[in-house]
Amino acid sequence: MSKHSALATGQPSRGKVLVVDDSRLVRTIVKGILKSGGFDIEEAEGGARALELLAKGAYDVVITDLRMPDLDGFGVLSGVKRVAPHVEVIILTGTHAEDLSCAVRALRLGAHDYLSKPPSSRDEVLATVDRAVEKKRLKDANQRLQSELEALSRRDPLTGVLNRRALEEALGQETARAHRHGHALAMVMLDIDHFKRVNDTHGHPAGDQVLRSFAKVTSSVLREGDVLFRYGGEEFAVMLPHTGLEGALNAARRILCAVAATPFDVAGSVLNITASAGVACLASAGDGAELIAAADAALYAAKNSGRNRAVASGPRPARVAARVA
């Protein structure tokens, strides 16, 4: 295997191509054409070696012979679809009817295109590879956009924290992990006290600012591994993996103390904000929905018992922690 880099000449690379053929002569011809066109080239003398390189490196295009002794072109095509599905595959084939029939079969299996062997012209090779590189890069760009949109769909646009959809997905994973490994898992449900007064007195833009500031303050006192979500309205949730009831209760009190001690600057006015918290721990046979329901019931008890406090769910109706000073 040898490597030729267009970057070494100071010219930008047109793409990275892996040329696979058991014939050194064919590899040399194709390599020479692509190198002259500004592509980065690596070679593999067989299909098995090609898949080893694919597992280690990033390529735009694989050009592979169909007939090779260890692993043929169909095996390479299948391996590329499995190991690096965005990489485009171009088949090298002879000009006999049987060869062309195999090339058509490869196209049906997902190959980008095929080239005759030896190549009929330099321009045809460069144009075919250029089209394959462009297709691969479009797929990469679409994948990045899809990932960005997927990430945005799990974020609350106002506060920037994860949303309820993300909570439901993460909770399903974490509860399964907790049951499988015997780990503790706790949930803190938070609600801003008298939030309706903020909207009624100062307007909804002020309420939005309070929500953003609340999320920022809460995030600042969380431990690594704890995750904040906006559950809806003025209600937030914190998921605490590997945490029992006492640890979660301490985390809730830490959040409430930080909120109560922080002056919220809203449109030139300083507001003193407090919050209430309900805390619950995953039961031995419980699921995520039961965990949220238990924490929500404890939150309801905290608000009914005077607000600005944390209540932990327990075997009795609820166990009230000391009111936050």
Side-chain angles (χ1 to χ4, degrees):
M1 191 263 308
S2 63
K3 182 176 179 180
H4 300 267
S5 174
L7 298 177
T9 66
Q11 299 297 320
S13 171
R14 288 167 70 176
K16 189 171 182 180
V17 182
L18 177 61
V19 179
V20 188
D21 201 301
D22 57 329
S23 167
R24 178 177 292 181
L25 176 60
V26 172
R27 296 200 309 269
T28 300
I29 293 171
V30 175
K31 174 183 67 180
I33 293 172
L34 294 175
K35 183 183 175 185
S36 71
F39 291 93
D40 285 339
I41 312 301
E42 289 195 31
E43 301 175 51
E45 66 280 6
R49 177 58 178 159
L51 295 186
E52 288 178 10
L53 293 173
L54 276 165
K56 298 176 183 177
Y59 300 90
D60 295 303
V61 177
V62 172
I63 300 178
T64 181
D65 188 17
L66 270 180
R67 301 182 185 278
M68 294 180 291
D70 64 338
L71 183 69
D72 65 13
F74 291 109
V76 173
L77 177 59
S78 175
V80 170
K81 296 302 178 186
R82 184 179 67 254
V83 176
H86 281 191
V87 174
E88 293 298 327
V89 177
I90 296 172
I91 298 297
L92 285 173
T93 183
T95 55
H96 297 298
E98 183 181 351
D99 295 326
L100 293 176
S101 176
C102 287
V104 170
R105 178 186 163 204
L107 294 180
R108 290 177 179 147
L109 292 173
H112 169 75
D113 207 341
Y114 67 89
L115 290 166
S116 60
K117 186 173 71 168
S120 58
S121 76
R122 174 182 182 275
D123 289 345
E124 180 188 11
V125 172
L126 294 178
T128 301
V129 176
D130 262 332
R131 288 193 298 269
V133 169
E134 181 63 21
K135 183 178 177 182
K136 192 263 184 184
R137 291 178 178 174
L138 282 173
K139 287 196 294 187
D140 287 345
N142 286 339
Q143 182 61 46
R144 286 193 297 270
L145 178 60
Q146 190 68 31
S147 296
E148 290 169 5
L149 291 173
E150 189 70 14
L152 286 173
S153 74
R154 287 167 169 75
R155 289 277 170 189
D156 171 47
L158 178 64
T159 62
V161 303
L162 293 167
N163 61 19
R164 184 168 178 168
R165 175 187 173 186
L167 170 62
E168 290 169 352
E169 292 177 359
L171 199 52
Q173 296 169 1
E174 287 299 328
T175 53
R177 187 176 293 118
H179 286 315
R180 186 165 59 249
H181 299 291
H183 296 159
L185 176 65
M187 179 69 62
V188 176
M189 299 298 290
L190 300 160
D191 189 277
I192 300 173
D193 294 333
H194 304 297
F195 182 73
K196 186 174 183 300
R197 288 184 195 169
V198 176
N199 283 331
D200 291 347
T201 304
H202 302 279
H204 287 280
D208 289 347
Q209 181 57 49
V210 167
L211 291 170
R212 284 190 290 265
S213 298
F214 179 85
K216 184 176 180 180
V217 171
T218 300
S219 297
S220 71
V221 297
L222 294 181
R223 307 167 308 173
E224 184 177 357
D226 298 343
V227 188
L228 175 66
F229 304 84
R230 186 180 178 194
Y231 194 66
E234 67 271 26
E235 195 169 357
F236 292 77
V238 181
M239 187 170 64
L240 303 98
H242 303 278
T243 305
L245 200 61
E246 290 299 328
L249 188 57
N250 289 336
R253 285 180 50 77
R254 190 166 61 248
I255 293 168
L256 300 189
C257 286
V259 169
T262 300
F264 284 60
D265 187 355
V266 178
S269 299
V270 176
L271 303 182
N272 295 314
I273 301 297
T274 63
S276 301
V279 180
C281 197
L282 184 66
S284 59
D287 59 19
E290 292 171 353
L291 178 59
I292 289 178
D296 221 22
L299 171 61
Y300 185 77
K303 297 186 82 68
N304 279 349
S305 59
R307 295 184 172 86
N308 192 26
R309 66 193 65 211
V311 170
S313 175
R316 295 172 186 161
R319 183 159 56 82
V320 180
R323 185 174 185 273
V324 174

